[in-house]
Amino acid sequence: MQIQRVQQVQPWIGRPETEAIEACLERNWLTEGPAAAAFRQNLGQLTGSPHISFAPNGTLGLFLALLALDLPRGSEIIIPGFTFMASASAAVFAGLKPVLIDVDPNTFSARPEAFERAITSRTSALMPVHIYGQAANAAEIAQIGRRRGLAVIEDAAQACGVRYRGQHAGTFGDVGVISFFADKSITMGEGAVVMARDPALARRISLIRNQGRESSGTFVHEMLGMNFRVTDLQCALGNAQLARLPQVRADRLRRYNLYAETLAGLPQMRLMRLDPNSDFIPFRFPLLCPRMPELREALENASIQTRSMFYPLHRQPCLQGLIDAVDLPICDTLFGEGLCLPIHQGVSDEDVRRACDIIRHTLMQESVAC
């Protein structure tokens, strides 16, 4: 019997999502409207953010936030080298120069002191990134920003529902962005939320995303803007998904713990350290092993889709000439040894145990061969 391939991503979609989208179609309101208003209100209750706007995706959310902050062109923004490319590309398109720093080898997030050491007279902003479903040291990094007069933009793409010392990720700095791409804990398909602390900044975000005007019903444009709006269809989906978040968290935590318990005792392997100050809603099951290429090949051959960890930003071809050369050995190690396993609701306990058996068998073979 052929084994069905275990996919890396599988959104949790059911009847509530279908009914929410059908309701949009029935009321014939497809652009931002009542579903968007309800989703905005519910996200405000979840995050505690006083000012919430939407963006078409997380990348454009970061770009929108940076445009609204209006930082000096050519100034420097400090970004961890271990993150998705969007963190840097949004900065470059906003006219900023990324300065890359290494991350903690255990939590995979950049520590506050790493940000502090990289600050120069040319620095205008800090961008902490919340990685793999747990929060970075956002409170401490935001304090550095306030003390040094620097803007703080949180890339909280993977951190919906995640709190650090009781406060939601993305709400410590001046602005934070959560993504609702299809592989996130909850999804709009594509989409993001941009959260601002200051009402003046929130108004700039609101104007820029709506072509520089207060309302889509007017043709008077107060400032230059673009169209960063989303649809009511997306927001209806997001609202239905938000109701699932407690279930998603419990389901993913149970599966994460099953992976961790089943793989316990393998000396060649280590897992991401969980920060006791942070909530945790697993985004993937990340592991580190010097034998990563062999593990990946064995798992893929067994119809279990894997993902590598992020290719380090300091090695990205498109950034060469735009950033200063820098040595980030931990980012290099995470890419060289890192592997992510699927953790969504479509992964059965049998799938988890089968993946763990393959990993254990592969590593034992290697040990015997050595």
Side-chain angles (χ1 to χ4, degrees):
M1 183 178 67
Q2 185 176 7
I3 297 175
Q4 186 174 0
R5 183 167 174 78
V6 179
Q7 300 290 341
Q8 185 72 199
V9 176
Q10 182 179 316
W12 196 338
I13 303 295
R15 189 62 193 166
E17 287 80 6
T18 303
E19 290 176 350
I21 292 173
E22 288 175 347
C24 282
L25 297 174
E26 288 171 0
R27 62 177 167 260
N28 203 27
W29 196 324
L30 304 185
T31 190
E32 287 188 21
F39 194 30
R40 185 182 298 110
Q41 181 179 3
N42 289 332
L43 285 169
Q45 292 174 353
L46 173 72
T47 64
S49 175
H51 305 289
I52 285 181
S53 297
F54 294 115
N57 52 60
T59 307
L60 290 178
L62 291 171
F63 181 50
L64 173 60
L66 291 167
L67 289 178
L69 284 166
D70 196 23
L71 301 169
R73 293 191 67 84
S75 62
E76 296 177 347
I77 179 170
I78 301 172
I79 304 173
F82 185 73
T83 180
F84 183 57
M85 182 65 203
S87 305
S89 60
V92 172
F93 277 105
L96 305 175
K97 178 181 178 179
V99 172
L100 305 179
I101 56 175
D102 219 344
V103 296
D104 184 278
N106 298 309
T107 64
F108 310 164
S109 296
R111 297 187 58 78
E113 54 266 30
F115 281 95
E116 185 102 57
R117 286 195 299 267
I119 294 172
T120 71
S121 61
R122 299 177 296 278
T123 305
S124 64
L126 314 176
M127 185 185 285
V129 181
H130 305 276
I131 288 291
Y132 290 156
Q134 71 170 334
N137 300 92
E140 294 87 342
I141 296 166
Q143 288 175 358
I144 292 171
R146 286 190 286 272
R147 177 163 44 84
R148 303 292 291 268
L150 305 173
V152 176
I153 304 95
E154 293 178 64
D155 183 341
Q158 300 176 358
C160 182
V162 175
R163 297 177 181 275
Y164 182 76
R165 295 179 179 170
Q167 184 172 332
H168 199 285
T171 65
F172 291 90
D174 297 281
V175 62
V177 177
I178 296 173
S179 171
F180 298 117
F181 181 61
D183 68 346
K184 302 303 187 287
S185 300
I186 65 169
T187 183
M188 301 167 65
E190 290 275 8
V193 61
V194 182
M195 304 173 291
R197 294 171 61 90
D198 177 67
L201 176 61
R203 186 171 187 274
R204 282 183 58 81
I205 291 171
S206 179
L207 289 171
I208 292 171
R209 71 179 295 273
N210 194 33
Q211 296 165 321
R213 56 188 175 171
E214 287 277 7
S215 169
S216 296
T218 180
F219 296 107
V220 177
H221 300 257
E222 181 177 333
M223 63 184 296
L224 286 173
M226 299 180 73
N227 183 352
F228 287 87
R229 297 189 302 271
V230 296
T231 70
D232 238 30
L233 292 167
Q234 291 170 281
C235 291
L237 176 61
N239 224 8
Q241 285 273 289
L242 192 59
R244 285 191 188 274
L245 186 57
Q247 186 181 10
V248 169
R249 177 181 182 179
D251 182 79
R252 291 191 172 200
L253 280 172
R254 189 190 65 78
R255 195 166 290 108
Y256 183 95
N257 290 332
L258 180 59
Y259 270 120
E261 291 163 5
T262 310
L263 291 172
L266 288 178
Q268 306 100 315
M269 182 181 300
R270 65 184 179 92
L271 306 181
M272 178 178 69
R273 194 191 75 199
L274 302 183
D275 186 340
N277 293 311
S278 172
D279 290 343
F280 183 44
I281 303 179
F283 176 65
R284 298 281 198 273
F285 183 81
L287 60 87
L288 294 173
C289 180
R291 300 287 186 179
M292 185 274 285
E294 289 92 339
L295 295 183
R296 185 170 192 175
E297 181 179 9
L299 289 162
E300 292 284 350
N301 288 341
S303 295
I304 297 172
Q305 189 179 31
T306 63
R307 282 283 188 276
S308 66
M309 290 190 182
F310 298 120
Y311 190 65
L313 289 185
H314 69 293
R315 300 194 180 278
Q316 290 288 356
C318 61
L319 291 179
Q320 303 312 304
L322 299 176
I323 60 172
D324 294 335
V326 65
D327 183 26
L328 304 178
I330 298 170
C331 292
D332 287 334
T333 297
L334 293 178
F335 174 72
E337 298 185 1
L339 190 68
C340 293
L341 301 179
I343 202 164
H344 55 77
Q345 80 291 339
V347 180
S348 68
D349 289 0
E350 181 182 350
D351 292 331
V352 172
R353 294 190 181 96
R354 185 164 64 88
C356 293
D357 286 343
I358 291 167
I359 291 170
R360 188 176 294 274
H361 178 71
T362 302
L363 294 181
M364 288 179 65
Q365 278 190 326
E366 293 293 340
S367 297
V368 172
C370 291

